[in-house]
Amino acid sequence: MWLYTKLMEKIFNDTRVAFALKTDTELERAYFLFKMIGNEPLVRIGTAITNFALKAHLPVESLIRVTVFDHFCGGTTEDDCLSVVDKMFTKGVSSVLDYSVEGKEEEEQFDAALQMTLKTVEFAKERKAIPFAVFKPTGLGRFYLYEKIGEKQPLTLEEQKEWNRVVARFDLICKTAYENDVAVLIDGEESWMQDAADELVTDMMKKYNKKKAIVFNTLQLYRWDRLDFLKQLHQLAKKEDFFIGMKIVRGAYMEKENKRAEEMGYPSPICKSKEETDNNFDATMLYMMDNLDRMSIFAGTHNETSSYKLMELMQTKGISKNDNRIWFGQLYGMSDNISYNLAKYGFNVAKYLPFGPVRDVMPYLIRRAEENTSVAGQTSRELNLLKTERSRRKNE
């Protein structure tokens, strides 16, 4: 059995493989960063100071660039990222170029995001190392519009025209991806805008997933209703004969979701505990693996247990490690022990590689810092792995 003995050895503990691409200096920087991120008051203070400095146009971008930005991002432009892409691919780890500019509200900004996403599709078409393109729904249209449509509120004439432009942007990206045989991941966002995004992505699947999964939606599985959503989508896909592509993640907006639910007096869409979220993630993963004839899965997880479970499912079902319907995914700058060890053993694995102007990418970086601070064990695990590798190198 190709996997059983490897699982028993706990392959994700191999720090030599995990950090093979990091110089000693980069290893020390990573250790310093995660020490800082592990301090919750420091993250809160640092976030406030950084936001103030950027709004006041103080010259802090170069400092951000050489610390947190370079650790979590590939560069300021797509061309900047290519050296990182090529370097990771020498170890078998692919890249997903992610234009991580958030919180825009203007039509010109949405058109700019559209053009950048189309450019990443072109990049992906030309490079085996970039198997997916990606975008956020609110990168192509105003959050308020998704929210209003999701709540079934009538749009004004101007809003309808604006929404038609959002739909046209979605369609152009998905059509271009289809024509170039490049899969496109569409990120999940807050629950109160997600219904409108889900409907739109489903329409794109019906149109462009007739032969295989090109368009991928995202399920945030800290939401207790998402497996039911997938099962309903599965029935629709069988009825209307299209394939489902789905990125599954645990989720990134938990505090915001719970706070809004409490303030507005509705039941929280978030699972009651971490254990329930983990069970929901694993159950969804199993459901997709049981229905691979119509589904493709991008398992976006930093959780070692879920990663092992997916590996075991593949083995039990006799599925090849490089079957293109199954991908593992992690974020650049995190969980290298999972990414590089999976790649070493021949699994399909891709890192989300964010890029964009330093100032515009800061909301993304702040979310990363807050997520690492709030997810139990995430930062301490990274620190322990980095400590182990530092010791190993000193003793060589």
Side-chain angles (χ1 to χ4, degrees), residues 37 43 47 98 100-102 136 187-190 220 251-253 256 331 334 361-375:
I37 288 170
V43 169
T47 297
D98 182 14
S100 296
V101 173
E102 302 183 0
K136 284 171 71 83
D187 285 342
E189 300 189 60
E190 290 89 341
Q220 299 193 94
Y253 305 94
K256 192 189 289 189
L331 298 169
M334 292 168 63
V361 173
M362 279 315 297
Y364 167 84
L365 291 173
I366 287 166
R367 272 203 297 119
R368 286 285 75 81
E370 289 172 345
E371 182 182 301
N372 272 282
T373 304
S374 63
V375 175

Side-chain angles (χ1 to χ4, degrees), residues 288-299:
M288 292 192 72
M289 291 295 290
D290 282 343
N291 293 285
L292 268 187
D293 60 320
R294 196 167 287 273
M295 297 186 186
S296 292
I297 179 172
F298 186 101

Side-chain angles (χ1 to χ4, degrees), residues 241-256:
D241 194 24
F242 64 90
F243 289 84
I244 293 171
M246 202 62 77
K247 179 178 69 159
I248 60 171
V249 299
R250 278 168 169 77
Y253 305 94
M254 184 169 68
E255 288 173 14
K256 192 189 289 189

Side-chain angles (χ1 to χ4, degrees), residues 87-117:
K87 191 175 170 185
M88 289 200 295
F89 202 56
T90 64
K91 300 296 184 184
V93 175
S94 299
S95 298
V96 183
L97 291 187
D98 182 14
Y99 184 56
S100 296
V101 173
E102 302 183 0
K104 301 302 183 183
E105 291 283 314
E106 305 298 328
E107 289 293 296
E108 314 86 74
Q109 294 166 330
F110 299 139
D111 286 333
L114 166 67
Q115 292 307 317
M116 186 57 74
T117 307

Side-chain angles (χ1 to χ4, degrees), residues 69-80:
F69 183 92
D70 279 352
H71 183 81
F72 290 110
C73 299
T76 56
T77 69
E78 69 281 10
D79 288 314
D80 269 357

Side-chain angles (χ1 to χ4, degrees), residues 32-146:
F32 169 78
L33 274 176
F34 281 107
K35 283 283 275 189
M36 296 299 102
I37 288 170
N39 186 319
E40 191 173 347
L42 200 60
V43 169
R44 277 203 310 272
I45 294 163
T47 297
I49 291 171
T50 302
N51 282 330
F52 170 78
L54 289 170
K55 283 174 185 170
H57 297 283
L58 298 177
V60 294
E61 289 187 29
S62 57
L63 176 62
I64 294 167
R65 177 77 204 251
V66 298
T67 53
V68 64
F69 183 92
D70 279 352
H71 183 81
F72 290 110
C73 299
T76 56
T77 69
E78 69 281 10
D79 288 314
D80 269 357
C81 295
L82 289 182
S83 61
V84 180
V85 169
D86 292 341
K87 191 175 170 185
M88 289 200 295
F89 202 56
T90 64
K91 300 296 184 184
V93 175
S94 299
S95 298
V96 183
L97 291 187
D98 182 14
Y99 184 56
S100 296
V101 173
E102 302 183 0
K104 301 302 183 183
E105 291 283 314
E106 305 298 328
E107 289 293 296
E108 314 86 74
Q109 294 166 330
F110 299 139
D111 286 333
L114 166 67
Q115 292 307 317
M116 186 57 74
T117 307
L118 291 172
K119 195 180 281 191
T120 62
V121 172
E122 288 295 317
F123 265 55
K125 178 184 77 169
E126 294 165 5
R127 291 170 178 83
K128 191 181 175 188
I130 307 175
F132 295 90
V134 64
F135 68 90
K136 284 171 71 83
T138 55
L140 303 183
R142 286 192 300 142
F143 188 102
Y144 170 75
L145 268 187
Y146 290 96

Side-chain angles (χ1 to χ4, degrees), residues 111 114-115 117-118 121-122 135 140 164-180 184 200 204 207-208:
D111 286 333
L114 166 67
Q115 292 307 317
T117 307
L118 291 172
V121 172
E122 288 295 317
F135 68 90
L140 303 183
N164 292 344
R165 290 193 292 273
V166 176
V167 174
R169 291 183 191 112
F170 263 75
D171 191 68
L172 181 55
I173 291 170
C174 295
K175 180 172 182 282
T176 305
Y178 170 78
E179 290 172 348
N180 289 290
V184 59
L200 189 43
M204 297 296 118
K207 200 169 180 180
Y208 297 113

Side-chain angles (χ1 to χ4, degrees), residues 102 143 190-192 222 252-263 266 269-270 367:
E102 302 183 0
F143 188 102
E190 290 89 341
S191 62
W192 58 98
Y222 61 6
Y253 305 94
M254 184 169 68
E255 288 173 14
K256 192 189 289 189
E257 291 279 2
N258 283 330
K259 185 180 177 188
R260 185 178 190 268
E262 188 178 345
E263 286 174 352
Y266 61 84
I270 304 300
R367 272 203 297 119

